[in-house]
Amino acid sequence: MAVDAIEVKLDEIEKWAAGRPVNRDELRLMFELARDHLGHRTPGSFEPGDLDELLLEVYPRRVEIPSGTDAVQIVEAARDLVDFIEETTDTTGELLTELEDAVPEFMEIVAENAPASHGLAEMLEELGLPSDRMPGIRLPSADVLLAAAKQSKLLARAHELAAWAGDGKEVDDDDELTDEAVAQAAAALGVNDQLEIRVLADLAEFAGFASTESGSFAPLPGGFEQWPDGENVAEIWQTGFISTFGFVLDRVADFRGSDIDFADVPANLLIMLFLARDVGLPRTEISELIHELTEDEWHGYVEQHGDPADFFIHVMTEIGGLEVDGENVRYTPLALNAVREHFMANGVDVPLLPPSAEMTAADLAALAMDLSGPEMAAEQAAWLSSRETVPAARELLAVAADGPARVRVWATGVVTELGVAEVWREVLDVDALRPYARYALGETELELSELGWITIDGLTLFVEADEQGIPDLGSAVAPLLPAGNEVELLDVMWRLPHPDVVATLNLLGKYHPDKRVAKHARKVAHKATTLHSQE
């Protein structure tokens, strides 16, 4: 197969896409792999079984796929290729079914073979999050945080260990307390578990209470005197927390002589607990995450030593970084502050939220795009309680009219709950809000163009989910179209001057479970692309 034949086929696909972006580079690689490993003489001559072999055998052996984001790009290119083949040749849908069946296994293979990456920005990208910012947080005052830091049980015991060391205690060739010194410390401090002494010794060094630089484990002048009333207590707590968070599981494995590799656990937990915010993560979910990241050694370790999540949670609770509420585990405000500082130091912005009364509706809307659940409900309630209902509703609708679809869906939902009919009547002449206003005022029989506008707004929520690689969206997007009238609505939707119309039609074309509807969505998506490119 000549290379120019591939380029000709790529030109055909771009022409078919009618201006919609296609990943030409990824498609080129796909054709080259099919030529070299599937024996294709003509670009795009896929038959049943070829996609399975390409994605599940050829790609894993021949192509390095660094992350889930890269895998999603491959899947997107494959979907474009299959759509092209379906619409330009006589096919009966086998290729599309084969592709969708292969995608979950393909994503699992990529996850198993992806190279390790411990950079914070890279990890955020792999989770589908912005690599330069995280949702803003609200924290207590510095005085409140300082008072909480001084209550750390683990730091107090680490300081006690440093005091016990006196003029110095013997260390081994690795600059760690000898087994004899650990036994003596355990007896002196009334500790039954020698592992705890090892953890306390680590923490004493992290916090600057003690050092082995002199050839023995001894109090460190300057740092030792800081606890608990020195001016650097807040920094001491943050350093001790972050360092222990990252190292304590390795200490456990070393102490127990296990080869289990906990290297990927701390960074993942650090981020996941931060995203969970005030809700927290179920204890079982923390255990499952550690299990997934240590799969090869997990079962043997647990059989001998128990669940490592239990020890981790215990230590981080004792230092004052985690709190347990029923079955959920979450950061304390101290830990949220420390993790924020850690993110900021690594180039990830985490803003502090202003008082609710000082927040604009746009500020609240931006927060709503990042947060959900009880935390967002509390922020929303505090904002609404700080102003009169009617002016608040007007502020929210102004943001809804000028903002993106996701903001409009959220803001109109909040205003609907406020029950202020007069405000809805004021926006009946605003194109972006008229459908919502009519519905809120009791007019349930909307025009198709109005229903189409609301439908596009709602679908944009799933466009972002698709971009993040979340699979199986068909069951979520299908109910947004009226059963039995999908084609009629699609024929109206593609003509609407909505900035997200092409993306949402492509989404329906990709995921709607009714193949007839999906095919029609792809057809009108091409029309919408052409229409909007001429505007």
Side-chain angles (χ1 to χ4, degrees):
M1 186 200 305
V3 173
D4 61 346
I6 291 178
E7 298 303 321
V8 168
K9 183 61 68 175
L10 291 173
D11 290 341
E12 290 180 17
I13 294 175
E14 285 194 331
K15 183 177 180 181
W16 162 82
R20 177 175 60 84
V22 293
N23 194 331
R24 190 179 178 105
D25 291 338
E26 198 63 64
L27 286 167
R28 181 184 296 108
L29 175 59
M30 206 165 284
F31 287 142
E32 291 172 350
L33 291 171
R35 175 194 63 198
D36 298 340
H37 302 285
L38 302 183
H40 284 196
R41 295 181 176 276
T42 304
S45 55
F46 282 84
E47 297 180 353
D50 284 352
L51 285 170
D52 264 350
E53 185 175 354
L54 185 67
L55 290 177
L56 305 182
E57 298 180 24
V58 177
Y59 263 94
R61 292 199 316 266
R62 300 294 178 179
V63 181
E64 180 176 338
I65 308 173
S67 69
T69 301
D70 298 285
V72 169
Q73 291 179 359
I74 293 170
V75 171
E76 292 301 307
R79 286 194 174 114
D80 280 337
L81 176 59
V82 169
D83 286 346
F84 169 76
I85 294 172
E86 277 201 344
E87 295 190 17
T88 57
T89 63
D90 293 329
T91 61
T92 56
E94 293 98 335
L95 289 179
L96 180 60
T97 300
E98 181 179 329
L99 173 62
E100 297 306 328
D101 288 344
V103 166
E105 186 175 350
F106 174 68
M107 298 300 288
E108 287 181 10
I109 292 172
V110 171
E112 291 173 0
N113 297 335
S117 173
H118 305 297
L120 181 58
E122 288 83 355
M123 290 192 66
L124 291 173
E125 287 181 350
E126 288 182 13
L127 290 169
L129 300 168
S131 61
D132 59 350
R133 69 173 184 87
M134 294 283 275
I137 60 174
R138 194 177 300 285
L139 292 171
S141 69
D143 289 343
V144 171
L145 292 174
L146 179 60
K150 292 180 178 182
Q151 299 302 312
S152 172
K153 296 178 181 178
L154 206 66
L155 272 170
R157 292 205 296 273
H159 191 263
E160 186 180 355
L161 177 66
W164 165 83
D167 294 333
K169 299 299 180 182
E170 186 177 1
V171 296
D172 58 22
D173 293 339
D174 294 324
D175 288 333
E176 295 187 351
L177 284 170
T178 63
D179 290 343
E180 182 180 356
V182 168
Q184 293 171 352
L189 273 61
V191 174
N192 295 325
D193 188 354
Q194 293 191 8
L195 172 58
E196 183 174 338
I197 296 296
R198 292 292 184 189
V199 172
L200 292 175
D202 292 337
L203 180 55
E205 292 192 61
F206 295 149
F209 297 160
S211 172
T212 59
E213 291 181 4
S214 64
S216 66
F217 181 87
L220 184 65
F224 180 80
E225 289 80 7
Q226 280 288 317
W227 187 265
D229 296 316
E231 60 183 16
N232 296 329
V233 168
E235 291 81 358
I236 287 172
W237 191 92
Q238 289 188 23
T239 300
F241 166 74
I242 291 293
S243 300
T244 304
F245 196 104
F247 189 69
V248 69
L249 286 177
D250 286 332
R251 168 56 73 190
V252 173
D254 179 65
F255 180 81
R256 290 172 172 160
S258 172
D259 293 331
I260 192 168
D261 183 5
F262 289 115
D264 291 334
V265 172
N268 278 276
L269 272 180
L270 194 80
I271 294 172
M272 299 308 293
L273 281 165
F274 189 84
L275 293 174
R277 311 295 274 277
D278 65 330
V279 176
L281 295 177
R283 182 187 288 266
T284 54
E285 192 170 325
I286 294 176
S287 178
E288 288 168 3
L289 177 62
I290 298 176
H291 181 184
E292 290 173 8
L293 296 172
T294 59
E295 178 67 40
D296 293 341
E297 306 93 353
W298 166 264
H299 293 289
Y301 183 92
V302 170
E303 288 176 4
Q304 289 187 327
H305 310 296
D307 191 339
D310 292 336
F311 186 80
F312 176 83
I313 292 169
H314 165 72
V315 170
M316 301 317 299
T317 300
E318 289 291 292
I319 202 172
L322 295 180
E323 56 188 12
V324 180
D325 182 8
E327 293 300 314
N328 277 19
V329 180
R330 60 176 175 244
Y331 281 143
T332 63
L334 263 177
L336 280 174
N337 182 56
V339 175
R340 174 181 181 267
E341 295 287 344
H342 179 69
F343 284 157
M344 298 280 283
N346 283 274
V348 180
D349 184 37
V350 186
L352 290 177
L353 298 176
S356 297
E358 297 177 12
M359 292 176 68
T360 66
D363 293 333
L364 189 66
L367 197 60
M369 298 304 99
D370 289 324
L371 301 183
S372 60
E375 186 175 7
M376 186 57 214
E379 290 291 342
Q380 182 176 305
W383 187 85
L384 289 170
S385 66
S386 69
R387 54 215 353 107
E388 296 293 330
T389 301
V390 170
R394 288 188 178 122
E395 283 187 67
L396 289 168
L397 289 183
V399 169
D402 297 333
R406 288 184 64 213
V407 168
R408 189 158 48 249
V409 171
W410 166 79
T412 54
V414 175
V415 175
T416 298
E417 292 178 0
L418 296 178
V420 281
E422 60 193 277
V423 176
W424 284 115
R425 284 190 286 270
E426 293 171 3
V427 297
L428 281 169
D429 60 346
V430 179
D431 291 342
L433 299 180
R434 183 183 303 108
Y436 295 95
R438 289 191 61 202
Y439 193 83
L441 292 170
E443 300 181 40
T444 56
E445 295 297 324
L446 301 182
E447 297 178 7
L448 274 180
S449 59
E450 294 172 329
L451 179 59
W453 186 271
I454 291 179
T455 301
I456 295 172
D457 277 357
L459 285 168
T460 58
L461 306 180
F462 299 100
V463 169
E464 182 170 334
D466 183 39
E467 291 171 350
Q468 294 175 357
I470 297 175
D472 303 327
L473 293 174
S475 60
V477 302
L480 296 183
L481 272 66
N485 295 309
E486 297 96 340
V487 170
E488 184 181 9
L489 182 60
L490 289 172
D491 283 337
V492 172
M493 284 171 60
W494 75 265
R495 295 181 172 87
L496 295 175
H498 195 297
D500 299 305
V501 61
V502 174
T504 55
L505 289 173
N506 283 326
L507 181 81
L508 290 170
K510 185 187 303 182
Y511 288 114
H512 200 287
D514 186 320
K515 292 184 178 180
R516 178 182 64 91
V517 174
K519 188 167 186 176
H520 194 70
R522 292 194 294 271
K523 178 181 177 181
V524 295
H526 298 320
K527 293 182 178 181
T529 300
T530 302
L531 175 65
H532 289 285
S533 67
Q534 297 172 351
E535 294 177 350

